[in-house]
Amino acid sequence: MGLSGLDIYKQLPKKNCGECGPPTCLAFAMSLAAGKASLDACPYVSDTARDNLASASAPPIKLVTVGSGPAAIQLGDETVLYRHDKTFVHPTGIFVEIRDDMDDAALDARLDQLAAMVFERVGQQYHLSGLAVRYVMGDPGRFAEVAVRAHGKFQRALILGGCGPGLEQALEKALETLAAAKPLLYAATVENHEGMTALAKKHACPLVVRGESLDATAELAQKVSASHKELVLDTGARQPSRTIADQTHIRRLAIKKKFRPLGYPTIAFTTSEDPGDEIVEATALVAKYTSVVVLKAHKVTQLLPLLSWRQNIYTDPQKPIQVQSQLYEVGQVTADSPVYVTTNFSLTYFSVEGEVQASKIPGYIIAVDTDGTSVLTAWAAGKLTSEAIAKMLGETGIESKVTHRKVVLPGHVAVLSGKLQELSGWQVLVGPREAAGIPSFAKSKFA
């Protein structure tokens, strides 16, 4: 159990200087107890108090890194149950399973397929977090060979392991080549935790602790953490309802109760055989706090919806995704190309960009800074105004790029046209209300 706000307050300097953010030491203590502040924010706390408060200031869920270099992913370090309280910061790792009993041709084909699976959506790149290489054959040499080949073709994070005789030997052999990649090792159990912990410590790799229940996992994690702190939890649940319940209990106990034995990231495995059901299961796990999801699905049509869902869950709900507010060129623009105005909300901008491309008439797009809100929302909030658009027309230097003085305004804000024309000196054309109308509009006005 963590210290209460009053317990923490007693050890603070009580200057009420406000330099830490909150106006008083008591408010800061309450934020610290809730896991929403860091003790480092107080410049006057004594060394003695810092030592005493170390457990209270530690994040409720430990930050664990899997992988190395650009391929590394971070897990845990979350401080809230609900994303409207504070953003979820470390997206769920999506890993696809690779088995060591696959023949070489099938293995290479699968690896090439997964490595090429990179998507662009609203200016963001989606891809898998990594591969989970499963030990099933009982042949340490073959397992190591598959693991090394997988990492060579798919330069992202790895999970290595499985169950059965010879697991530790198989991991040791794979780590002769892959230790620097810092894979997540799976898994320490009641039977093998001493050997697996020693292996993880030797190679400085994170380790999965797997119990047969929530209570058993907490007990085992407490034992292992005495000598190795980089842990990920698996409660052993393989029924979706039980797994989701366990994920929720872990998050609540770690954050609300500061229960340290469960204060680690988690891993879960999908069990549905039907690909569609498996993706539904995975989306539920992503939504309910799972740090790593391992699944068998490997097709684009299966994984793209899951990756999109993850991106939505881990987007700050108080800060919409936005593009930089500037002038953009779409296609091979000329001095006669049309000039469109929109907002810097990513979904709005990329909708407009896509339709300008579809029109086959190259054009310029001015993305006005509206704090990432859509056209109507920005207009209603007073962020998309005639003054703001006129200012952008001047700042972007568009006057030196085109010979005409015509600008296309979104149809939904036609009310701005008169004042914009007066302020800017440009002729304002009221465009379509929806981006889908741009191709026909462009052909009628600019072809």
Side-chain angles (χ1 to χ4, degrees), residues 238 240 244 269-272 276-286:
R238 293 298 183 264
I244 290 170
F269 298 78
T270 57
T271 57
S272 302
D277 291 343
E278 186 184 19
I279 296 303
V280 171
E281 185 182 343
T283 58
L285 291 170
V286 170

Side-chain angles (χ1 to χ4, degrees), residues 343 345 348 370 372-380 384:
T343 73
F345 177 41
T348 297
T370 60
T373 52
S374 62
V375 171
L376 275 177
T377 303
W379 172 72
L384 183 62

Side-chain angles (χ1 to χ4, degrees), residues 256-329:
K256 293 295 187 182
K257 302 297 184 182
K258 303 293 190 297
F259 186 60
R260 293 300 177 186
L262 292 178
Y264 298 96
T266 61
I267 186 172
F269 298 78
T270 57
T271 57
S272 302
E273 294 300 325
D274 179 80
D277 291 343
E278 186 184 19
I279 296 303
V280 171
E281 185 182 343
T283 58
L285 291 170
V286 170
K288 298 306 291 185
Y289 312 130
T290 311
S291 305
V292 173
V293 174
V294 179
L295 65 165
K296 300 178 288 294
H298 57 274
K299 296 180 179 178
V300 171
T301 52
Q302 298 163 345
L303 294 172
L304 180 55
L306 177 61
L307 295 173
S308 297
W309 171 250
R310 178 186 64 177
Q311 200 72 8
N312 288 336
I313 293 293
Y314 284 87
T315 296
D316 187 345
Q318 299 176 7
K319 185 179 181 182
I321 302 173
Q322 50 192 282
V323 299
Q324 188 172 347
S325 176
Q326 63 180 45
L327 178 68
Y328 292 88
E329 298 179 0

Side-chain angles (χ1 to χ4, degrees), residues 97-146:
E97 180 181 290
I98 297 291
R99 295 166 58 100
D100 64 2
D101 59 353
M102 298 176 69
D103 64 61
D104 289 346
L107 176 64
D108 288 340
R110 180 67 53 82
L111 292 173
D112 289 340
Q113 176 191 24
L114 295 174
M117 204 174 289
V118 179
F119 314 103
E120 291 284 345
R121 181 174 179 267
V122 292
Q124 297 184 321
Q125 189 180 86
Y126 298 180
H127 56 72
L128 295 173
S129 305
L131 299 176
V133 183
R134 182 180 286 274
Y135 175 69
V136 293
M137 287 185 66
D139 181 348
R142 175 58 179 169
F143 174 79
E145 180 186 347
V146 170

Side-chain angles (χ1 to χ4, degrees), residues 38-274:
S38 168
L39 190 60
D40 293 336
C42 177
Y44 305 110
V45 66
S46 68
D47 291 339
T48 301
R50 188 178 298 277
D51 291 339
N52 293 338
L53 296 173
S55 62
S57 61
I61 300 175
K62 180 174 173 55
L63 178 67
V64 174
T65 300
V66 176
S68 61
I73 64 170
Q74 293 186 316
L75 312 173
D77 200 24
E78 304 290 352
T79 59
V80 295
L81 286 171
Y82 307 109
R83 64 193 287 266
H84 60 263
D85 291 334
K86 184 181 177 181
T87 312
F88 295 167
V89 293
H90 294 124
T92 302
I94 305 296
F95 285 72
V96 171
E97 180 181 290
I98 297 291
R99 295 166 58 100
D100 64 2
D101 59 353
M102 298 176 69
D103 64 61
D104 289 346
L107 176 64
D108 288 340
R110 180 67 53 82
L111 292 173
D112 289 340
Q113 176 191 24
L114 295 174
M117 204 174 289
V118 179
F119 314 103
E120 291 284 345
R121 181 174 179 267
V122 292
Q124 297 184 321
Q125 189 180 86
Y126 298 180
H127 56 72
L128 295 173
S129 305
L131 299 176
V133 183
R134 182 180 286 274
Y135 175 69
V136 293
M137 287 185 66
D139 181 348
R142 175 58 179 169
F143 174 79
E145 180 186 347
V146 170
V148 171
R149 183 177 296 187
H151 187 254
K153 281 182 169 284
F154 195 87
Q155 294 285 322
R156 298 199 184 104
L158 284 176
I159 301 173
L160 301 180
C163 58
L167 174 61
E168 291 175 45
Q169 292 84 349
L171 290 172
E172 183 70 75
K173 190 164 185 61
L175 289 170
E176 290 175 3
T177 303
L178 298 174
K182 302 302 176 191
L184 176 61
L185 306 184
Y186 186 93
T189 64
V190 171
E191 294 78 17
N192 71 1
H193 71 275
E194 292 181 353
M196 288 294 292
T197 303
L199 184 64
K201 284 183 63 178
K202 175 183 176 182
H203 295 285
C205 292
L207 175 66
V208 176
V209 172
R210 189 188 74 202
E212 295 304 319
S213 66
L214 189 61
D215 290 341
T217 302
E219 183 179 347
L220 183 57
Q222 199 161 19
K223 288 180 181 178
V224 174
S225 65
S227 56
H228 189 59
K229 305 293 185 184
E230 301 300 303
L231 304 181
V232 176
L233 306 182
D234 177 5
T235 65
R238 293 298 183 264
Q239 291 182 332
S241 59
R242 182 70 261 162
T243 304
I244 290 170
D246 284 351
Q247 300 299 316
T248 304
H249 288 319
I250 288 172
R251 185 71 159 247
R252 285 185 176 278
L253 287 167
I255 291 176
K256 293 295 187 182
K257 302 297 184 182
K258 303 293 190 297
F259 186 60
R260 293 300 177 186
L262 292 178
Y264 298 96
T266 61
I267 186 172
F269 298 78
T270 57
T271 57
S272 302
E273 294 300 325
D274 179 80

